Amino acid sequence: YNQPNPWDFNQFIYESTISSDITGYNLLFGLMYRKQGRYKVGFTVKTPTYYEISENFSDVGTSYFDNGDTYTISNPGTTKYNIRTPIVLSGGASFQLTDWLLLAGDAEYTDWTQMEFTNNNPDLQSENRVIRDILQATTNLRGGAEVTLWNYGVQLRGGVAYNPSPYKGDPKDYDQVYYTAGVGV
């Protein structure tokens, strides 16, 4: 009994490639107030970032058979789309409590539901509804301290950063916490 294809099938290789060209722009505005070196207070507004993305993509599937036959299917294409990220509001302060101790902290607010595709493409417009349904606003928090060691000109620094997940319903262990340390001379 002679078995027809695909009984002599040997291997299938699938390659998907994307080459992207990304351009974008935004503005960052900030203010800072200093009081005689004892404390500083600042505020920034980062405007939405406007991205234009052009992509060349290709999906290629190749089947190899024991009898030496090879079949290839290719699906190349191009696409262009635009994305606008949300506005980011930040505020922070630092306090020189003593000659040897500086404390600092800041908060950064981003409403991720405001991110959107700005094209008139109906498929991407439906993704904007998904973005509003699955994302939420977040407030990233950062704090730190700097200790100056006497008159040696050495500073020890330590800090912590907390970045909550922008996805609605994520458990707390999806939030990111970073600990930092440093030395300045």
Side-chain angles (χ1 to χ4, degrees):
Y1 179 71
N2 188 5
Q3 299 284 337
N5 288 338
W7 301 110
D8 67 340
F9 173 76
N10 185 312
Q11 182 179 16
F12 178 75
I13 297 176
Y14 177 77
E15 295 178 49
S16 182
T17 59
I18 299 175
S19 174
S20 300
D21 182 25
I22 302 172
T23 58
Y25 63 92
N26 68 7
L27 296 172
L28 179 65
F29 299 98
L31 296 170
M32 183 173 66
Y33 175 76
R34 288 190 256 196
K35 173 68 174 167
Q36 298 287 331
R38 297 303 277 172
Y39 68 90
K40 299 173 187 171
V41 178
F43 180 75
T44 64
V45 175
K46 180 177 150 187
T47 66
T49 302
Y50 295 87
Y51 290 105
E52 180 177 279
I53 298 133
S54 299
E55 294 180 338
N56 295 314
F57 58 88
S58 175
D59 295 311
V60 178
T62 305
S63 299
Y64 298 92
F65 296 87
D66 291 335
N67 66 2
D69 289 345
T70 302
Y71 299 98
T72 299
I73 296 174
S74 178
N75 183 24
T78 62
T79 188
K80 184 184 274 189
Y81 53 95
N82 302 84
I83 297 174
R84 183 181 68 218
T85 65
I87 192 169
V88 178
L89 305 173
S90 301
S94 68
F95 302 97
Q96 186 77 47
L97 294 180
T98 67
D99 290 341
W100 56 271
L101 179 61
L102 174 78
L103 298 177
D106 73 271
E108 178 181 86
Y109 176 80
T110 308
D111 184 358
W112 292 104
T113 65
Q114 300 301 307
M115 184 167 55
E116 68 178 345
F117 291 96
T118 57
N119 305 57
N120 289 331
N121 181 325
D123 293 331
L124 294 178
Q125 292 299 317
S126 68
E127 291 300 315
N128 288 336
R129 286 187 287 280
V130 172
I131 288 169
R132 287 188 291 278
D133 288 343
I134 67 170
L135 295 179
Q136 64 185 352
T138 61
T139 302
N140 296 339
L141 302 172
R142 293 177 283 269
E146 178 181 270
V147 175
T148 301
L149 298 179
W150 305 282
N151 293 325
Y152 298 117
V154 175
Q155 293 89 27
L156 301 178
R157 299 181 184 105
V160 62
Y162 170 70
N163 301 330
S165 173
Y167 291 96
K168 289 179 185 174
D170 269 358
K172 283 291 183 194
D173 58 340
Y174 281 47
D175 296 347
Q176 300 171 338
V177 177
Y178 298 98
Y179 298 97
T180 62
V183 177
V185 179

